[in-house]
Amino acid sequence: MPLSTFIPLLHEINDAYEESVTLFATKPPSKDLGFLDPKSPSLDITIGSRDLTIQQSPSLLSSPRDGETTVLWRVTPLFATYLSHPENPFFSHGVLSSRSTVLELGCGVAGVLGLTLGSSGRVRGYFLSDQEYVLKLLRRNLEENTPPPAAPRKGGARVKAGTVVRTLAMDWEKDRITREHPVLKEGVPFDAVIACDCIYNEALVEGFVEALEEACRELSAASRGMDGGSRLSEEAGGEEGAKPTLAIIAQELRSPEVFETWLERFHRSFHTYRIPDSLLTPEINSSSGYSVHVGILRD
C-alpha cells in the first residue's frame, strides 16, 4: 500500500503550538497577503516544461465577494512546480499516479494545478471547485492553456481519451460535498483533496476544515464502491482497495495566530503530518516561508 512507505517519511504533528514555533522561527517577513502580481490582468508563468498564460481580475480584489480568489497566489505555481517533478514523494511513492482522481477546494480563477496535474495527464481525473462567480474566468484559463486533443491515428484507430477535468461551483458555507452533486457522481474514490492558501484569516478556518472533513469522508473509497458506470470507474478496473482520501494543504506562512488556529482545528479531525523540508524544493520549504501538510481523517 503506497501510504505504508509514504507516511514514515513525514513529520507527524502532535502539538499545534510547537509546529507553529518551529515553522515561524525561520520564516522570512511577509511582504503582502501572498499574491503573485495583484495588478496585472495577465501573467505568464512556467510550470515544469509548460508555459501558461493566466488571465486574472485585479479589479475584483476590492470586491465584497471574496475577491482574493480572482488573482493568482504565489504558493500555487510553486506547489504545482513541485508536483511536476517526477521524484516528488506523492508520485514516487504512488500516493498520486496517472490513475488518481483529485478534488481541489478554492482553486481560484487560474486553475494552475488543474493544468499541471489534469490536462497534462499526470492524474486520471481532476476536479476544480470554487464559488460560482470564479468559474467563467477559470474555464477560460483551462481552455486557453489546454493543448488540443491528439489527432486520430492513420487508418482510424482509436486514440485513448485524455484526463477528465471538471469544474464545479462550491461554496463551503452553503454547499455540501457529496456524491449526489451532479459533477461528483464519477464512480471512483478520490485519492486526494488539495487546497492552496485557503486559510488567510481565522473566520475561514471552521468552514474550511468542515469542507475538508466532508470531502475526505464522502469521496473516499470506503464510502462508495467503484460501480458508478462512468469512464473513470471503467478505467479504474477495481485495482484499489479501500484507502483514505488525503487532505493536502499547501500554504504561505503569514500569521502564526491564524496558522495555529487552523492547525489546532485541523488536528482535531485529521491525523496530521508535514512534508519535511528535505523532501521539498528550496522554493517551497519553510525557510522560504511555505509549508505542505497532509491529513488523514480520524475514525
Side-chain angles (χ1 to χ4, degrees):
M1 181 178 180
L3 291 182
S4 65
T5 61
F6 175 70
I7 294 299
L9 301 175
L10 311 184
H11 175 68
E12 185 170 7
I13 309 302
N14 293 306
D15 186 281
Y17 174 72
E18 289 182 2
E19 175 73 346
S20 179
V21 170
T22 298
L23 290 178
F24 281 86
T26 58
K27 187 195 84 68
S30 297
K31 297 179 180 179
D32 49 49
L33 190 58
F35 308 130
L36 189 61
D37 184 347
K39 297 181 179 180
S40 176
S42 178
L43 299 175
D44 293 322
I45 62 174
T46 299
I47 308 296
S49 61
R50 294 189 65 189
D51 295 324
L52 306 175
T53 298
I54 300 301
Q55 309 299 325
Q56 53 179 18
S57 295
S59 62
L60 289 179
L61 268 178
S62 58
S63 167
R65 11 176 3 188
D66 299 326
E68 292 88 354
T69 61
T70 64
V71 294
L72 182 59
W73 295 62
R74 280 191 297 262
V75 69
T76 307
L78 293 176
F79 189 50
T81 298
Y82 171 67
L83 290 178
S84 72
H85 294 162
E87 66 272 18
N88 86 76
F90 291 102
F91 282 92
S92 64
H93 285 263
V95 176
L96 296 176
S97 72
S98 60
R99 302 181 70 84
S100 294
T101 307
V102 176
L103 170 67
E104 182 178 355
L105 296 181
C107 63
V109 298
V112 169
L113 283 170
L115 291 165
T116 302
L117 297 181
S119 61
S120 68
R122 293 216 72 192
V123 296
R124 178 180 57 213
Y126 200 92
F127 293 68
L128 302 104
S129 70
D130 211 313
Q131 296 184 69
E132 180 72 44
Y133 75 94
V134 171
L135 298 189
K136 181 178 179 180
L137 192 49
L138 169 63
R139 289 165 179 157
R140 176 183 171 186
N141 280 318
L142 293 174
E143 181 179 356
E144 292 182 353
N145 289 282
T146 300
R153 294 191 182 97
K154 191 174 182 179
R158 294 181 62 186
V159 178
K160 185 178 180 179
T163 300
V164 172
V165 178
R166 301 267 196 275
T167 61
L168 61 149
M170 186 71 68
D171 186 323
W172 303 332
E173 296 182 346
K174 299 177 182 178
D175 303 322
R176 290 200 62 229
I177 301 175
T178 169
R179 283 290 187 182
E180 299 307 310
H181 191 290
V183 183
L184 296 176
K185 286 187 175 180
E186 300 287 356
V188 294
F190 281 64
D191 297 84
V193 179
I194 293 178
C196 286
D197 247 351
C198 291
I199 318 108
Y200 44 88
N201 68 59
E202 292 186 7
L204 298 171
V205 168
E206 185 65 29
F208 175 65
V209 175
E210 287 182 354
L212 288 172
E213 290 176 6
E214 194 167 61
C216 290
R217 181 176 60 251
E218 297 292 323
L219 305 180
S220 70
S223 68
R224 174 169 175 161
M226 306 174 74
D227 57 354
S230 67
R231 178 166 71 80
L232 286 179
S233 62
E234 291 171 2
E235 289 181 1
E239 87 283 0
E240 299 183 29
K243 68 176 184 178
T245 298
L246 295 187
I248 303 172
I249 315 299
Q251 61 187 303
E252 184 170 350
L253 301 169
R254 284 180 291 272
S255 163
E257 293 79 17
V258 173
F259 175 84
E260 189 175 339
T261 297
W262 165 71
L263 190 57
E264 285 181 346
R265 176 64 185 86
F266 185 72
H267 188 257
R268 290 205 303 269
S269 298
F270 290 85
H271 300 284
T272 307
Y273 308 85
R274 173 168 43 86
I275 307 293
D277 283 352
S278 60
L279 296 178
L280 295 170
T281 57
E283 294 78 14
I284 200 172
N285 66 19
S286 61
S287 296
S288 295
Y290 300 93
S291 67
V292 181
H293 287 82
V294 174
I296 298 175
L297 191 64
R298 297 182 186 275
D299 296 333

